[in-house]
Amino acid sequence: MRKIIHVDMDCFFAAVEMRDHPEWRDIPLAIGGSASRRGVIATCNYPARAYGIRSAMASHQALQRCPQLLLIPGNMAEYKAVSQQIREIFHRYTELVEPLSLDEAYLDVSDSPWFGGSATLIAEDIRRAINDELQLTASAGVAPNKFLAKIASEENKPDGLFVLPPAAVADFVRQLPLAKLPGVGRKTAEKLSALGLEHCSQLLEIGEAELARRFGKFGRLLWQRGQGIDEREVQTERVRKSVGVETTLVTDIHQPEQGVQVLLRLWPELIRRLAGRAIKGMCIKLKFEDFTQTTLSRRCELPQQALAERLCVEAWERARGRGVRLVGVSVELCHEEQERQDGGEQLGFDW
Ligand SMILES: [Mg+2]
């Protein structure tokens, strides 16, 4: 039985800005692209959320809801530096740290000697250290696996902890809305809802075969998650199954040629991180202005820049007019039987 902690910083970019600019603490603040350039909100603070402003909302819409909103472009270099400080805190407790983005990570503390092995006390101490040393708040979820820990970290946000002990998993999962499962976006939730499926308990009634028939591989995944099952290991750099680089653009881009330009800037870093290891495929990821994303992959034995460019242009057709806010490229390493790590490490240079 694993003990997994998911740590998620509270409105990370906005929190860093509020720490560094106390005068912004109580006013609606958002980090995002400018409205005149069709930008979107990346993060906002709680006073801004009170106006209904959310991540991924168009900046012009956010300003309509709250004309006095302070909208700033943000400072990615600083966020990366703070993210590094947070990771150093994580590594005091375990080497098994899997960053998901600049402000989120999974920790496997199953074998940690700290606090008598209590994942709950470790999570509380991590939150305390982040607060004391960085003057930022984090929320954490403790659970026997990754997806439950991630859901748990949302339960008592902000500045909260939620612990899901193994004995409580079955009851927790049964009442869990399907829309809360990672990978179930708005569209999938609507599809499930049309089948009369709202909660995890209902997946049991429809059955694995029917889920697989309707949703393919994802259906089988739903079946497992619906019973609280997630066998994925925390993947550190050392056991990583894919290597990727990606960047969130300060301003959305609209032309495939611009995407290829971003790709060419990421490419040398990908090759450096790959460090000559054997690969079995390449994958392009695009995230659109509405925060949905698409990936396109091909099998190949060598990283090929020309192939990456073709995949990028091909994936771009799925944008259907939407702006692109993130471009990523990854390669799948030659290890067997592991789910590909979702996304790469954020590089976050300014476009
Ligand atoms: Mg966060």
Side-chain angles (χ1 to χ4, degrees):
M1 187 66 80
R2 295 193 182 112
K3 295 175 189 171
I4 307 294
I5 302 174
H6 178 253
V7 183
D8 184 20
M9 301 299 293
D10 302 322
C11 10
F12 180 51
F13 299 169
V16 171
E17 297 296 345
M18 286 154 68
R19 178 191 72 177
D20 297 347
H21 305 272
E23 69 276 18
W24 294 348
R25 207 165 277 167
D26 300 316
I27 62 171
L29 169 72
I31 289 84
S34 87
S36 61
R37 295 163 76 185
R38 306 212 304 142
V40 296
I41 303 298
T43 319
C44 64
N45 66 359
Y46 280 90
R49 287 178 198 200
Y51 287 88
I53 297 171
R54 296 286 179 268
S55 294
M57 183 179 275
S59 296
H60 78 86
Q61 191 187 349
L63 286 164
Q64 272 170 3
R65 292 196 179 194
C66 175
Q68 74 273 33
L69 177 71
L70 177 59
L71 177 63
I72 59 171
N75 180 349
M76 196 55 81
E78 154 126 54
Y79 308 148
K80 277 174 67 180
V82 177
S83 175
Q84 193 52 45
Q85 293 174 310
I86 296 165
R87 281 182 204 173
E88 282 164 19
I89 291 175
F90 293 156
H91 278 281
R92 294 176 198 164
Y93 302 85
T94 176
E95 282 309 303
L96 298 177
V97 176
E98 176 183 339
L100 295 175
S101 64
L102 287 181
D103 83 317
E104 257 182 87
Y106 290 118
L107 285 72
D108 184 333
V109 297
S110 307
D111 299 317
S112 174
W114 290 93
F115 297 99
S118 163
T120 303
L121 295 179
I122 293 171
E124 275 303 54
D125 205 60
I126 290 171
R127 297 195 327 106
R128 179 203 56 74
I130 290 172
N131 208 328
D132 288 357
E133 297 171 34
L134 305 176
Q135 291 79 51
L136 294 168
T137 64
S139 294
V142 176
N145 62 43
K146 282 166 56 163
F147 101 93
L148 288 172
K150 190 168 167 77
I151 292 170
S153 71
E154 287 289 321
E155 290 289 302
N156 286 326
K157 224 171 196 339
D159 197 12
L161 173 72
F162 185 84
V163 179
L164 190 59
V169 166
D171 281 345
F172 181 83
V173 170
R174 217 167 293 144
Q175 53 73 44
L176 198 62
L178 291 167
K180 280 202 177 184
L181 293 180
V184 177
R186 193 172 48 83
K187 286 227 176 80
T188 309
E190 281 169 10
K191 253 174 148 178
L192 290 164
S193 181
L195 296 171
L197 300 172
E198 305 282 349
H199 293 88
C200 283
S201 58
Q202 293 168 308
L203 294 177
L204 294 177
E205 294 159 23
I206 187 165
E208 182 177 12
E210 182 65 10
L211 282 171
R213 193 180 70 76
R214 289 183 182 270
F215 296 97
K217 203 173 154 192
F218 181 68
R220 293 188 191 281
L221 200 66
L222 269 180
W223 173 255
Q224 290 193 359
R225 300 293 184 265
Q227 293 164 85
I229 298 169
D230 179 1
E231 304 285 358
R232 292 173 303 159
E233 286 175 23
V234 167
Q235 292 191 355
T236 61
E237 193 75 50
R238 197 166 42 83
V239 293
R240 177 167 277 181
K241 299 304 180 282
S242 76
V243 173
V245 288
E246 62 183 45
T247 187
T248 300
L249 306 164
V250 169
T251 308
D252 292 350
I253 55 177
H254 292 83
Q255 302 302 324
E257 301 77 43
Q258 294 173 294
V260 168
Q261 288 303 314
V262 175
L263 188 65
L264 296 182
R265 289 172 68 179
L266 293 171
W267 191 258
E269 179 64 12
L270 178 72
I271 298 303
R272 189 188 70 74
R273 291 190 188 182
L274 185 55
R277 282 174 285 186
I279 71 167
K280 57 182 179 182
M282 283 187 36
C283 182
I284 289 288
K285 172 162 114 182
L286 300 178
K287 194 181 273 187
F288 302 114
E289 62 188 28
D290 58 4
F291 277 65
T292 60
Q293 65 177 45
T294 193
T295 58
L296 188 59
S297 53
R298 287 278 187 287
R299 297 191 77 82
C300 61
E301 285 162 6
L302 288 169
Q304 301 165 39
Q305 190 176 306
L307 174 61
E309 291 178 25
R310 281 205 303 276
L311 289 175
C312 181
V313 172
E314 203 176 316
W316 211 276
E317 289 169 14
R318 301 173 183 172
R320 291 188 303 274
R322 289 174 293 177
V324 168
R325 65 185 316 276
L326 176 149
V327 176
V329 57
S330 62
V331 291
E332 196 174 350
L333 300 174
C334 279
H335 299 293
E336 298 304 320
E337 301 299 318
Q338 279 279 343
E339 284 181 54
R340 202 179 55 77
Q341 172 152 323
D342 182 30
E345 198 175 330
Q346 291 264 341
L347 266 186
F349 59 71
D350 293 353
W351 169 250

